[in-house]
């Protein structure tokens, strides 16, 4: 059997896994990367199912195992929670960038300060109406109303005066992947 025929769906599934995990690195996720991941998963699944004949059981299980592990990590939000502390100091420097900015894995459409809090709005949010990060100094608390939004924001403390937030379409968890809430939102 042709080696490329056997391994390309697995390589594509690994690329899809990376795209999905990158897509959920911020609350609300990146719509573009979530769509890329979904397309890659679909193509990999079709390729994998077509090329099953002649594969050993361990090779047959690679794609389903990668898929399940990636979905568990993406849905739980562990990716965003683990990577946030690595970017915290760089994000603090973005507070003076009012027209949006980026740092490392994070892209923001806007950054603004109000009442002692700096709000970082996720660029290309796909799973919420509005999402991002908030840093409040001097013991301040973020406001549940985040500008002209569809509803109240849900906050999750991240420590050291930082919060993750979303204005949800459904559910109330800032982190994690919910495939039923993925769609485009109007930009801030």
């Amino acid at each position: 059997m042709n080696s490329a025929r056997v391994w390309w769906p697995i390589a594509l599934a690994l690329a899809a896994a990376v795209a999905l995990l990158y897509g959920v690195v911020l609350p609300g996720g990146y719509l573009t990367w979530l769509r890329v991941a979904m397309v890659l998963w679909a193509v990999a699944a079709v390729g994998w199912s077509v090329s099953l004949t002649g594969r050993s059981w361990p090779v047959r299980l690679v794609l389903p195992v990668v898929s399940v592990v990636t979905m568990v990590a993406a849905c739980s939000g562990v990716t965003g929670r683990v990577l946030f502390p690595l970017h915290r100091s760089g994000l603090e420097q973005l507070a003076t960038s009012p027209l949006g900015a980026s740092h490392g894995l994070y892209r923001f459409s806007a950054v603004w300060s109000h009442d002692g809090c700096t709000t970082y709005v996720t660029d290309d949010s796909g799973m919420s109406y509005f999402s991002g990060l908030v840093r409040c100094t001097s013991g301040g608390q973020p406001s549940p109303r985040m500008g002209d939004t569809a509803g109240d924001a849900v906050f999750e403390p991240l420590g050291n005066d930082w919060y993750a937030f979303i204005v949800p379409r459904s559910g109330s968890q800032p982190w994690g992947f919910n495939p039923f809430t993925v769609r485009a939102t109007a930009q801030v």
Side-chain angles (χ1 to χ4, degrees), residues 112 114-119 130 134-136 140-147 149 151-155 163-167:
W112 73 77
H114 182 67
D115 290 337
C117 294
T118 303
T119 303
F130 197 61
V134 176
R135 179 175 184 236
C136 294
Q141 294 290 321
S143 169
R145 294 300 284 179
M146 301 293 294
T149 60
D152 287 345
V154 176
F155 293 93
Y163 301 85
F165 78 90
I166 62 168
V167 176

Side-chain angles (χ1 to χ4, degrees), residues 37 67 78 86-87 103-104 119-120 125 127 131 147 166 169 182-184 186 188:
S67 301
V78 70
L86 302 174
H87 292 83
H103 174 73
T119 303
Y120 303 77
S125 178
M127 291 181 289
S131 63
I166 62 168
R169 288 194 179 110
V182 176
R183 65 178 181 225
V188 176

Side-chain angles (χ1 to χ4, degrees), residues 31-178:
L31 178 63
T32 302
W33 285 101
L34 295 171
R35 286 180 174 167
V36 166
M38 287 181 207
V39 168
L40 291 174
W41 280 120
V43 173
V46 169
W48 176 79
S49 63
V50 167
S51 65
L52 277 176
T53 58
R55 287 187 179 188
S56 65
W57 278 105
V59 173
R60 287 181 186 198
L61 292 177
V62 170
L63 190 127
V65 168
V66 167
S67 301
V68 168
V69 168
T70 302
M71 285 304 288
V72 167
C75 291
S76 70
V78 70
T79 307
R81 287 184 186 98
V82 167
L83 292 175
F84 172 75
L86 302 174
H87 292 83
R88 187 181 311 214
S89 64
L91 292 172
E92 291 170 358
Q93 296 171 5
L94 294 180
T96 59
S97 179
L99 299 176
S102 64
H103 174 73
L105 300 173
Y106 301 142
R107 294 186 333 263
F108 302 104
S109 61
V111 178
W112 73 77
S113 294
H114 182 67
D115 290 337
C117 294
T118 303
T119 303
Y120 303 77
V121 180
T122 303
D123 186 30
D124 195 29
S125 178
M127 291 181 289
S128 64
Y129 290 113
F130 197 61
S131 63
L133 301 168
V134 176
R135 179 175 184 236
C136 294
T137 56
S138 305
Q141 294 290 321
S143 169
R145 294 300 284 179
M146 301 293 294
D148 185 22
T149 60
D152 287 345
V154 176
F155 293 93
E156 179 180 311
L158 300 173
N160 295 334
D161 300 323
W162 282 91
Y163 301 85
F165 78 90
I166 62 168
V167 176
R169 288 194 179 110
S170 65
S172 62
Q173 297 300 318
W175 299 100
F177 176 61
N178 181 348

